[in-house]
Amino acid sequence: MAEYTAAVEIQNVSLIYHSLEGGETEALRNISFTVKPREFVSIVGPSGCGKSTLLSLIAGLLRPTSGTVQVEGNKVEGPSPKVGYMLQQDYLFPWRTVLENALIGLEVMGQKDRASVERVRELLTSYGLEGFEDHYPGQLSGGMRQRVALVRTLATNPDICLLDEPFAALDYQTRLFIEEEVGRILRESAKTVLLVTHDISEAVAMSDRVIVLSKRPSVVVNEHKIDLGLENWSALAARNEAAQFKTYFRDIWKELDVHA
Amino acid sequence: MPNNYNNYSPAHLEYLCKAKKRRLMIKLARILVFLVFLVLWEVSARLELIDSFITSTPTRVLGTLYQMAGDGSLYYHTSITVWETTLGFTIGTLGGTLIAIVLWWSKMISKILDPYIVVLNSIPKVALGPLFIVWLGNGTTAIVAMALAIAVIVTIMMVYSGFQNVDPNYLKLMQTFGATKWQTLRKVILPASVPTIISALKVNVGMSLVGTIMGEFLVSKAGLGFLIVYGGQVFKMDLIISGVVVLCLVSVALYYLVTFLEGRMLKWQE
């Protein structure tokens, strides 16, 4: 095991986009933060502030204009099996069955064998998808599809999971339910999680820490260590029972400085 | 869908019954329109309301077809046209898809070739016919080239735009797993474009047939196109209309063949 104290370390990262129509766009300005192993961190910020861009940097899909991005002590040079990414929607391939969808990452990485398929089957079973392995995504509910997407991300066994507003496309009730479930699964499997969202209450309910970004060009406005005093983590309990929930919400709301 | 009629309420059964009747009505009406047309044609020719030398009659067309079926010429000409169409169709579809893949692979190449494809798409390919005949000889090769020329450009345009319409988030997903371009092509772009490729096939069946008939018009040795042109030259309307009738049947058969393939390839869409 390499020695590292930070699962993800972002140092003085800036990013400037170039385009023929829009000219230069400064998306991120001098951003620094770290995520400790097994920590659940949320990033909130106004729409279009470059939250997803940050995730793309960590996933190795983009390079920063300046500054460094490190994952487990190594500079990010491209996509790495250590990092799993969950997109805004499930993006399951409609022509693949549930099992085939869950296996796509292993297939691409050339790690699909009997043992890994067995492991994915077990994951599907433990997340309530038993009996649906050979169904097509079109036959599943939104919540189930999102769970398949989670299994797909976990199938390659990443240490760090990046979640890019993964619940945004779900209806409110399903969303509360899936939040709870995904949060529990990720905590139980001891993953480091970085969740991007514009939903403050989701961020507070899900995370150990919330990082607030400003609008473009984004800088880190503040960080909040979340301690709701709950005995066992539960997003629902956080929303309904924790007294400090509202305080966190109000503080972050102020910092977001939203003017519609 | 549950198929158990016992589960339905009387109101729903009545609704189903009505829907069934309506579908039957439409089918009957379609057949009726055809029959009325044939009868009017035949009767007005017999009553000499129209000149049957120019219009022929259904019975004479049937007679011609029967006689041609007897001496084997019907099978001979039809099989030649079907064979040429199939060749043009297959090579056009495969070649067009291959070129579309190249265009997808290299944005640079696609940008450079864009205006050429637009121009090739808009010129009437029949204008190239004489060139093909000079280059490829007065035979099957020129005819297939004609069919190919028509089918290939349409395929390139349809399939390439299908590739481009694949949701970029699918590609992003593949990237996060570190997929190579080849993997992305095989596992995402091609399967996602199967519906587009099938629509291209459907269009191509018609296009290749048009190309083949045009080629046969120009080359005039054998095939349904030759039959029709020959019929025109010797003023045998029976022959022209027989040719057109067989052509109709051929195009319908080819179209349904593709539709059948579509059903088998798109199981997941059910």
Side-chain angles (χ1 to χ4, degrees), chain A residues 79 85 91-93 95 107-108, chain B residues 167 169-170 175 183 187 191:
Chain A
Y85 199 126
Y91 291 110
L92 298 177
F93 297 123
W95 58 87
E107 251 179 76
V108 166
Chain B
D167 192 323
N169 282 299
Y170 282 138
Q175 276 187 324
Q183 282 175 321
K187 292 184 194 294

Side-chain angles (χ1 to χ4, degrees), chain A residues 52 56 59 61 79-80 83-85 87 90-96 104-110 136 139 152-153 156 164, chain B residues 166-180 183-184 186-193 265 267-270:
Chain A
S52 303
S56 293
L61 305 180
S80 143
V83 179
Y85 199 126
L87 301 167
D90 52 71
Y91 291 110
L92 298 177
F93 297 123
W95 58 87
R96 284 179 161 242
I104 183 79
L106 291 166
E107 251 179 76
V108 166
M109 294 179 186
Y136 288 98
Q139 299 167 303
R152 178 180 61 195
T153 308
T156 55
D164 188 356
Chain B
V166 174
D167 192 323
N169 282 299
Y170 282 138
L171 308 183
K172 185 173 177 184
L173 177 78
M174 291 300 278
Q175 276 187 324
T176 65
F177 290 121
T180 60
Q183 282 175 321
T184 306
R186 240 182 25 166
K187 292 184 194 294
V188 183
I189 297 290
L190 287 178
S193 306
M265 287 173 81
K267 269 192 190 138
W268 54 268
Q269 268 190 348
E270 278 162 24

